[in-house]
Amino acid sequence: MFILNPQSGVPLYRQLLDQVRRMVSSGQLPPGTALPSIRDLALLHAINPMTISKAYSLLETEGLLERHRGKPMTVANQAAARPQLARRLQQVEPLLDQVVLAARQLEITEPELAKALHTKWEEADE
Amino acid sequence: MFILNPQSGVPLYRQLLDQVRRMVSSGQLPPGTALPSIRDLALLHAINPMTISKAYSLLETEGLLERHRGKPMTVANQAAARPQLARRLQQVEPLLDQVVLAARQLEITEPELAKALHTKWEEADE
Amino acid sequence: MFILNPQSGVPLYRQLLDQVRRMVSSGQLPPGTALPSIRDLALLHAINPMTISKAYSLLETEGLLERHRGKPMTVANQAAARPQLARRLQQVEPLLDQVVLAARQLEITEPELAKALHTKWEEADE
Amino acid sequence: MFILNPQSGVPLYRQLLDQVRRMVSSGQLPPGTALPSIRDLALLHAINPMTISKAYSLLETEGLLERHRGKPMTVANQAAARPQLARRLQQVEPLLDQVVLAARQLEITEPELAKALHTKWEEADE
DNA sequence: GTGGTCTAGACCACA
DNA sequence: GTGGTCTAGACCACA
């Protein structure tokens, strides 16, 4: 469900944070959905429960998740409607900036980059 | 010359490291080229000289840069030969993985993503 | 500087949170003031640094504190002017509610309670 | 009859514990009095019966309450004799400590605090 | 020196 | 079963 990469330099809790935000944004996690329990995620990804707890707590502070004593956390109601395409695109922009910067510094051309992206996309389909 | 973003979650020295590697890979920084002094970069980006020094030192250990007493560091000779496209593309792949993951979690379609990438690329031309 | 009571049933990080909020509210910690370092506080109160770090981080999220890489955290600028008496009183109200509830359940009269409060106040002067 | 506040940071069972203790201390719940059933309290406050059960059980261990199969719990006989004022005041002291600490950190003066307490007291009369 | 991230693991509160 | 709090301690990034 979530993809965590410990090598990337980005803290694990932040990777989780971003992914939950996106899946709520897209409607893949609609309001009311229960999130996987902290323990389950910790076991599954072999990371410490507190790392996940930290991400979940921050999302609660943000108002995106709701806590229910003794029950799983859920996506909040006001984590409303799936935003317009434009707003969702905004969330990928920082990454696109990094990609474009990297490609240009490597003197990769635009068609070469576009092709590489296409390949990655298709790989993800499998 | 370099673009550093303290908000991204990626450590500053690592951002610098990646960028130098890429510009050497692409031939934009050919062997013998002098790098900006630690002090200049520190002033320019308002960060601590030690952060830059750390990145430069790691690149020296890697054999990509050479240190010359009292003179600026330079790109090493054996850093030479611009690698094949395939090898340069490898360096952008981790970023492309992140982009594809993010886009899919946001339910952005491939054409929408391709278009956004194209826009970013053109913006960078200016 | 801070008074932490592990017996009270209130989590330590929350006690700290409340106390910093109040001292910023009152102007005892004016904008720009550096807070005691996490390590110092941890040693002083013999508690774990992460507990303090958690309180500080929440206050940063709240906008009350500012983080400075490699330097102590400070009271934020927008943690503006000392609020009116009314707003400061609001912050003690939940505690007064508890006191009044407790006293009435103990059948302590108002004058008895007022006297006890007065005594406590004077003790604190010493 | 009881006032429970899930936001206060103090565990629910502890709030209940304190309140029963006080009302027994004051004689508001004299020996022999039947307590509200666990089920009723749970419904009334919308909390889990086990939480109440835990508080009642602790009070039974303490000797303050007595369990009677198939009948409501009652206040124990030896719980008797309403204690002197001094002993009842002791039970509010921890709260008064918190109030005085909070007020002083907020730079609220003693008369201001006394007045606020008076107001709260009167509000409770209604 | 500063704060940040993460682990392993204990124990608590609540359903 | 759920999440929350706290500890002891390692190691990292930055000044």
Side-chain angles (χ1 to χ4, degrees):
Chain A
M1 177 162 187
F2 299 115
I3 298 183
L4 300 179
N5 172 8
Q7 314 305 332
S8 82
V10 181
L12 293 174
Y13 82 91
R14 207 179 202 279
Q15 295 182 38
L16 191 52
L17 211 62
D18 286 340
Q19 296 191 39
V20 175
R21 276 198 202 111
R22 288 177 207 139
M23 295 178 78
V24 171
S25 275
S26 72
Q28 281 171 65
L29 291 176
T33 315
L35 283 135
S37 86
I38 291 182
R39 280 161 168 79
D40 284 356
L41 272 191
L43 278 176
L44 185 62
H45 293 100
I47 61 179
N48 191 287
M50 275 207 28
T51 303
I52 294 159
S53 174
K54 180 171 179 179
Y56 277 13
S57 295
L58 287 169
L59 289 164
E60 192 209 353
T61 310
E62 230 173 69
L64 213 69
L65 298 186
E66 275 170 3
R67 193 191 329 183
H68 308 280
R69 297 192 176 205
K71 292 197 198 153
M73 298 189 79
T74 58
V75 176
N77 274 315
Q78 76 270 38
R82 162 174 160 156
Q84 294 302 316
L85 175 63
R87 299 221 43 205
R88 279 178 287 134
L89 279 172
Q90 270 178 24
Q91 293 184 65
V92 222
E93 294 208 343
L95 280 173
L96 288 180
D97 285 331
Q98 287 183 55
V99 166
V100 169
L101 175 65
R104 286 175 167 268
Q105 286 176 338
L106 285 160
E107 297 208 325
I108 291 168
T109 65
E110 205 204 334
E112 286 160 357
L113 179 61
K115 193 179 154 211
L117 179 65
H118 179 67
T119 308
K120 280 286 174 202
W121 187 278
E122 307 243 293
E123 279 171 24
D125 270 334
E126 291 150 30
Chain B
M1 175 164 187
F2 298 116
I3 298 183
L4 300 179
N5 174 9
Q7 314 305 331
S8 80
V10 182
L12 294 175
Y13 83 93
R14 206 180 201 280
Q15 295 183 39
L16 191 52
L17 211 62
D18 285 341
Q19 297 192 39
V20 175
R21 276 198 202 113
R22 289 179 206 137
M23 295 176 79
V24 171
S25 274
S26 72
Q28 280 172 68
L29 291 177
T33 316
L35 281 133
S37 83
I38 289 181
R39 180 169 304 186
D40 285 356
L41 271 190
L43 280 175
L44 185 61
H45 292 99
I47 61 180
N48 191 293
M50 274 200 34
T51 303
I52 296 158
S53 171
K54 179 172 178 180
Y56 277 11
S57 296
L58 285 168
L59 289 164
E60 192 199 0
T61 309
E62 232 174 68
L64 213 69
L65 298 186
E66 277 170 1
R67 202 177 288 270
H68 310 279
R69 296 198 181 182
K71 293 197 197 157
M73 293 187 79
T74 57
V75 176
N77 273 316
Q78 75 270 42
R82 161 170 163 163
Q84 292 304 314
L85 174 62
R87 300 223 40 207
R88 278 178 287 134
L89 278 174
Q90 269 179 20
Q91 292 183 65
V92 223
E93 292 207 345
L95 280 173
L96 288 181
D97 285 331
Q98 286 183 56
V99 166
V100 169
L101 174 64
R104 285 173 168 270
Q105 285 177 337
L106 285 161
E107 298 207 327
I108 291 170
T109 64
E110 206 206 330
E112 286 161 357
L113 179 61
K115 193 178 154 210
L117 179 64
H118 178 66
T119 310
K120 279 288 173 202
W121 187 279
E122 307 243 293
E123 279 172 26
D125 271 335
E126 290 150 30
Chain C
M1 177 163 186
F2 299 115
I3 298 184
L4 299 180
N5 173 9
Q7 314 306 330
S8 81
V10 182
L12 294 174
Y13 83 91
R14 207 179 201 281
Q15 295 183 38
L16 191 51
L17 211 60
D18 286 340
Q19 296 193 38
V20 174
R21 277 199 201 111
R22 289 178 206 137
M23 295 177 78
V24 170
S25 274
S26 72
Q28 281 171 67
L29 290 177
T33 315
L35 283 136
S37 86
I38 290 181
R39 280 161 169 80
D40 284 357
L41 272 190
L43 278 176
L44 185 60
H45 292 100
I47 61 179
N48 191 288
M50 274 205 29
T51 303
I52 295 159
S53 174
K54 180 172 178 178
Y56 277 11
S57 294
L58 286 169
L59 289 164
E60 191 209 354
T61 310
E62 231 172 69
L64 213 69
L65 298 186
E66 275 170 5
R67 194 190 329 182
H68 308 279
R69 297 191 176 205
K71 292 196 199 156
M73 297 189 79
T74 58
V75 176
N77 275 315
Q78 78 269 39
R82 160 173 164 157
Q84 293 304 316
L85 174 62
R87 300 221 40 206
R88 279 178 287 134
L89 279 172
Q90 269 179 22
Q91 292 184 65
V92 223
E93 294 208 344
L95 279 173
L96 288 179
D97 285 331
Q98 287 183 54
V99 166
V100 169
L101 175 66
R104 285 174 166 270
Q105 287 175 337
L106 286 160
E107 296 210 326
I108 291 170
T109 65
E110 205 205 332
E112 285 160 358
L113 178 62
K115 193 178 153 209
L117 179 64
H118 179 66
T119 308
K120 279 287 175 203
W121 188 278
E122 306 243 294
E123 279 171 24
D125 270 336
E126 292 149 29
Chain D
M1 176 163 187
F2 299 116
I3 298 183
L4 299 180
N5 173 7
Q7 315 304 332
S8 80
V10 183
L12 293 175
Y13 83 93
R14 207 180 202 278
Q15 295 183 38
L16 192 51
L17 211 63
D18 286 341
Q19 296 192 38
V20 175
R21 275 198 202 114
R22 287 178 206 139
M23 296 176 78
V24 171
S25 274
S26 71
Q28 278 171 69
L29 291 177
T33 315
L35 282 133
S37 81
I38 290 181
R39 181 171 304 187
D40 284 356
L41 271 190
L43 279 175
L44 185 61
H45 293 99
I47 61 179
N48 191 293
M50 274 200 32
T51 303
I52 296 158
S53 172
K54 179 171 179 180
Y56 277 10
S57 296
L58 286 168
L59 289 164
E60 190 199 0
T61 310
E62 233 173 66
L64 213 68
L65 299 185
E66 277 170 2
R67 202 177 288 269
H68 310 279
R69 295 197 180 180
K71 293 195 197 157
M73 295 188 77
T74 57
V75 176
N77 273 314
Q78 74 270 40
R82 160 169 162 163
Q84 293 303 316
L85 174 62
R87 300 221 41 205
R88 279 178 287 135
L89 279 172
Q90 269 179 20
Q91 293 184 63
V92 223
E93 292 209 343
L95 279 173
L96 288 181
D97 285 331
Q98 286 184 55
V99 166
V100 169
L101 175 64
R104 284 175 168 268
Q105 285 176 337
L106 285 161
E107 298 208 326
I108 291 170
T109 65
E110 205 205 332
E112 285 160 357
L113 178 62
K115 192 177 156 212
L117 180 64
H118 178 67
T119 308
K120 279 287 174 202
W121 188 278
E122 308 243 293
E123 278 172 24
D125 271 335
E126 291 149 29

